[in-house]
Amino acid sequence: MTFPSDRKLRVLAIAEAANPEWVSVPLVGWSLASALREHADVHIVTQIRNRDAFLRAGLKEGTDFTAIDSEAFAKPAWKLAEKLRMGEGKGWTMVQAINALSYPWFERLVWRAFGDSIKAGDWDIVHRITPLSPTIASPIAAKVAKTNVPFVIGPLNGGVPWPKGFEAERRGEKEWLSYVRSAYKLLPNRTATLKHASVILAGSRHTASEVPEQFQNKTLFLPENGIDPSRFNLTASPSTDTPLRGVFVGRLVPYKGASMLLNAARDLLISGKMVLDIVGDGPQRAELEALAAPMGDAVTFHGWKAHQEVQDIMAKADCLTFPSIREFGGGVVLEAMALGLPPIVVDYAGPGELVSDAWGYKIPCGSKTEIERDLASLLTDLVADPAPLATKGKAAKARVDSTFTWDQKARQILRAYDWALDPTGPTPSLITG
């Protein structure tokens, strides 16, 4: 398939979750779709709940975006998910299962609104950006494929297995459904979606590994998170002075690893060789405050902070200390790197795929005791010789600037579009290094 070289690609971007005023998946959907608009003629199709935020961001309804009213299914599904998840921010697998039941109605309405224009060849690419979950099929994939318009899906991400030894954390997150999550692979619509997609963007190596062998030849690795340089515009300057300043940013729940961090850094914090800023809140806060009590002023709990305040705190640190044991993407890792802050992470899932020895540190994913032991050893080494932090921090910022800004991610996806339009060419590598 070819198109005139003197015009931009016409892309119908389906992003059911896309909102510049929210976080997590909606912010990813918005950021990626918006970045693509700088390089292609993109029309965004989103859910009606995002309409007002799109208008406040300056987009014109009907010209730049279309808001689909699927509330007849979406609203009851949301209420059911909130009831079944048994706690704010918990039961993520259950939420996705409910979304998988309600989402097809949204795409049915998308096809009703845009099916004729897709058949007429008004679009060069149809790209479903969100949902990110690989468990949620796309009912219109086969319909788009019949029109000979390439259908791109992703980046898909999620479902990273819980590591061994963390069953208490799994139960604490109300992840009962995660024990049978793999059953989604048997759903017929899942296979049809992958079959009819021209390109499958996988947001993690794990998600890529779950794609059946017959579709691996059209699966490309592309982490879903990115950085807006205008939002992360400070630069950290890791110091060689004592004390070492670490920062943790995230929800205060067991799997994020704040308790492991406090245990690992205990002696350094009590002796005054290290200080720690903990940014975030959650059900584990009281427990963490009790754990940190013997450490006195060495540990500061900041609670939730506005974006700019978080950036200010992070930029004063020497390293991000983030031993989470289950992250799909690890956006906070990229945020730290964007500030020139070398991250310390557990080598598992998203963070392990974003960090290399050139710009950070990876702790092997073992038991709690092993993670705390290895983290304590690393922090002790950094207190004794913090000089590598500045070098790694500069490399971290350079890595984000070259690969993980939203503009760079849009350019990477354009290469995927080119390949979808001409699959006879070599398979592109969207992320290198």
PDB file of all heavy atoms in Angstrom, residues 331-345:
ATOM      1  N   GLY A 331       6.600   4.018  35.096  1.00  0.00           N
ATOM      2  CA  GLY A 331       6.706   5.413  34.668  1.00  0.00           C
ATOM      3  C   GLY A 331       7.573   6.263  35.566  1.00  0.00           C
ATOM      4  O   GLY A 331       8.292   7.144  35.095  1.00  0.00           O
ATOM      5  N   VAL A 332       7.542   6.027  36.886  1.00  0.00           N
ATOM      6  CA  VAL A 332       8.335   6.836  37.799  1.00  0.00           C
ATOM      7  C   VAL A 332       9.830   6.640  37.553  1.00  0.00           C
ATOM      8  O   VAL A 332      10.633   7.549  37.811  1.00  0.00           O
ATOM      9  CB  VAL A 332       7.983   6.509  39.268  1.00  0.00           C
ATOM     10  CG1 VAL A 332       8.465   5.109  39.671  1.00  0.00           C
ATOM     11  CG2 VAL A 332       8.571   7.545  40.209  1.00  0.00           C
ATOM     12  N   VAL A 333      10.212   5.498  37.030  1.00  0.00           N
ATOM     13  CA  VAL A 333      11.620   5.250  36.705  1.00  0.00           C
ATOM     14  C   VAL A 333      12.062   6.182  35.580  1.00  0.00           C
ATOM     15  O   VAL A 333      13.132   6.801  35.650  1.00  0.00           O
ATOM     16  CB  VAL A 333      11.843   3.779  36.319  1.00  0.00           C
ATOM     17  CG1 VAL A 333      13.277   3.539  35.872  1.00  0.00           C
ATOM     18  CG2 VAL A 333      11.495   2.859  37.487  1.00  0.00           C
ATOM     19  N   LEU A 334      11.221   6.302  34.560  1.00  0.00           N
ATOM     20  CA  LEU A 334      11.542   7.223  33.462  1.00  0.00           C
ATOM     21  C   LEU A 334      11.537   8.669  33.933  1.00  0.00           C
ATOM     22  O   LEU A 334      12.351   9.490  33.485  1.00  0.00           O
ATOM     23  CB  LEU A 334      10.546   7.054  32.311  1.00  0.00           C
ATOM     24  CG  LEU A 334      10.676   5.798  31.447  1.00  0.00           C
ATOM     25  CD1 LEU A 334       9.646   5.839  30.329  1.00  0.00           C
ATOM     26  CD2 LEU A 334      12.075   5.676  30.861  1.00  0.00           C
ATOM     27  N   GLU A 335      10.617   9.008  34.836  1.00  0.00           N
ATOM     28  CA  GLU A 335      10.568  10.375  35.353  1.00  0.00           C
ATOM     29  C   GLU A 335      11.857  10.721  36.089  1.00  0.00           C
ATOM     30  O   GLU A 335      12.389  11.825  35.945  1.00  0.00           O
ATOM     31  CB  GLU A 335       9.348  10.524  36.269  1.00  0.00           C
ATOM     32  CG  GLU A 335       8.027  10.428  35.519  1.00  0.00           C
ATOM     33  CD  GLU A 335       6.826  10.312  36.433  1.00  0.00           C
ATOM     34  OE1 GLU A 335       7.023  10.328  37.675  1.00  0.00           O
ATOM     35  OE2 GLU A 335       5.697  10.199  35.926  1.00  0.00           O
ATOM     36  N   ALA A 336      12.348   9.786  36.891  1.00  0.00           N
ATOM     37  CA  ALA A 336      13.616  10.011  37.581  1.00  0.00           C
ATOM     38  C   ALA A 336      14.752  10.170  36.585  1.00  0.00           C
ATOM     39  O   ALA A 336      15.590  11.085  36.701  1.00  0.00           O
ATOM     40  CB  ALA A 336      13.901   8.854  38.538  1.00  0.00           C
ATOM     41  N   MET A 337      14.798   9.297  35.592  1.00  0.00           N
ATOM     42  CA  MET A 337      15.860   9.366  34.582  1.00  0.00           C
ATOM     43  C   MET A 337      15.808  10.687  33.826  1.00  0.00           C
ATOM     44  O   MET A 337      16.848  11.266  33.495  1.00  0.00           O
ATOM     45  CB  MET A 337      15.731   8.186  33.624  1.00  0.00           C
ATOM     46  CG  MET A 337      16.074   6.836  34.247  1.00  0.00           C
ATOM     47  SD  MET A 337      15.615   5.415  33.217  1.00  0.00           S
ATOM     48  CE  MET A 337      16.545   5.754  31.697  1.00  0.00           C
ATOM     49  N   ALA A 338      14.595  11.180  33.560  1.00  0.00           N
ATOM     50  CA  ALA A 338      14.461  12.450  32.848  1.00  0.00           C
ATOM     51  C   ALA A 338      15.067  13.607  33.621  1.00  0.00           C
ATOM     52  O   ALA A 338      15.510  14.605  33.039  1.00  0.00           O
ATOM     53  CB  ALA A 338      12.986  12.731  32.563  1.00  0.00           C
ATOM     54  N   LEU A 339      15.100  13.482  34.946  1.00  0.00           N
ATOM     55  CA  LEU A 339      15.685  14.522  35.790  1.00  0.00           C
ATOM     56  C   LEU A 339      17.186  14.327  35.996  1.00  0.00           C
ATOM     57  O   LEU A 339      17.830  15.139  36.655  1.00  0.00           O
ATOM     58  CB  LEU A 339      14.993  14.528  37.158  1.00  0.00           C
ATOM     59  CG  LEU A 339      13.482  14.814  37.160  1.00  0.00           C
ATOM     60  CD1 LEU A 339      12.918  14.643  38.560  1.00  0.00           C
ATOM     61  CD2 LEU A 339      13.191  16.203  36.627  1.00  0.00           C
ATOM     62  N   GLY A 340      17.729  13.243  35.438  1.00  0.00           N
ATOM     63  CA  GLY A 340      19.140  12.950  35.651  1.00  0.00           C
ATOM     64  C   GLY A 340      19.391  12.222  36.951  1.00  0.00           C
ATOM     65  O   GLY A 340      20.481  12.314  37.534  1.00  0.00           O
ATOM     66  N   LEU A 341      18.384  11.493  37.406  1.00  0.00           N
ATOM     67  CA  LEU A 341      18.466  10.779  38.674  1.00  0.00           C
ATOM     68  C   LEU A 341      18.613   9.285  38.386  1.00  0.00           C
ATOM     69  O   LEU A 341      17.707   8.669  37.828  1.00  0.00           O
ATOM     70  CB  LEU A 341      17.183  11.032  39.473  1.00  0.00           C
ATOM     71  CG  LEU A 341      17.190  10.776  40.972  1.00  0.00           C
ATOM     72  CD1 LEU A 341      18.181  11.694  41.673  1.00  0.00           C
ATOM     73  CD2 LEU A 341      15.782  10.973  41.528  1.00  0.00           C
ATOM     74  N   PRO A 342      19.745   8.673  38.738  1.00  0.00           N
ATOM     75  CA  PRO A 342      19.913   7.245  38.460  1.00  0.00           C
ATOM     76  C   PRO A 342      18.963   6.406  39.315  1.00  0.00           C
ATOM     77  O   PRO A 342      18.868   6.615  40.525  1.00  0.00           O
ATOM     78  CB  PRO A 342      21.379   6.977  38.806  1.00  0.00           C
ATOM     79  CG  PRO A 342      21.756   8.062  39.758  1.00  0.00           C
ATOM     80  CD  PRO A 342      20.940   9.262  39.366  1.00  0.00           C
ATOM     81  N   PRO A 343      18.241   5.461  38.716  1.00  0.00           N
ATOM     82  CA  PRO A 343      17.293   4.645  39.476  1.00  0.00           C
ATOM     83  C   PRO A 343      17.926   3.370  40.023  1.00  0.00           C
ATOM     84  O   PRO A 343      18.805   2.769  39.401  1.00  0.00           O
ATOM     85  CB  PRO A 343      16.221   4.311  38.438  1.00  0.00           C
ATOM     86  CG  PRO A 343      16.957   4.309  37.134  1.00  0.00           C
ATOM     87  CD  PRO A 343      18.094   5.282  37.265  1.00  0.00           C
ATOM     88  N   ILE A 344      17.452   2.967  41.185  1.00  0.00           N
ATOM     89  CA  ILE A 344      17.776   1.663  41.762  1.00  0.00           C
ATOM     90  C   ILE A 344      16.479   0.874  41.772  1.00  0.00           C
ATOM     91  O   ILE A 344      15.515   1.267  42.430  1.00  0.00           O
ATOM     92  CB  ILE A 344      18.340   1.793  43.187  1.00  0.00           C
ATOM     93  CG1 ILE A 344      19.640   2.599  43.192  1.00  0.00           C
ATOM     94  CG2 ILE A 344      18.574   0.416  43.804  1.00  0.00           C
ATOM     95  CD1 ILE A 344      20.161   2.913  44.586  1.00  0.00           C
ATOM     96  N   VAL A 345      16.429  -0.223  41.020  1.00  0.00           N
ATOM     97  CA  VAL A 345      15.189  -0.971  40.863  1.00  0.00           C
ATOM     98  C   VAL A 345      15.456  -2.469  41.040  1.00  0.00           C
ATOM     99  O   VAL A 345      16.600  -2.930  41.007  1.00  0.00           O
ATOM    100  CB  VAL A 345      14.563  -0.728  39.464  1.00  0.00           C
ATOM    101  CG1 VAL A 345      14.288   0.747  39.248  1.00  0.00           C
ATOM    102  CG2 VAL A 345      15.460  -1.278  38.355  1.00  0.00           C
TER     103      VAL A 345
END
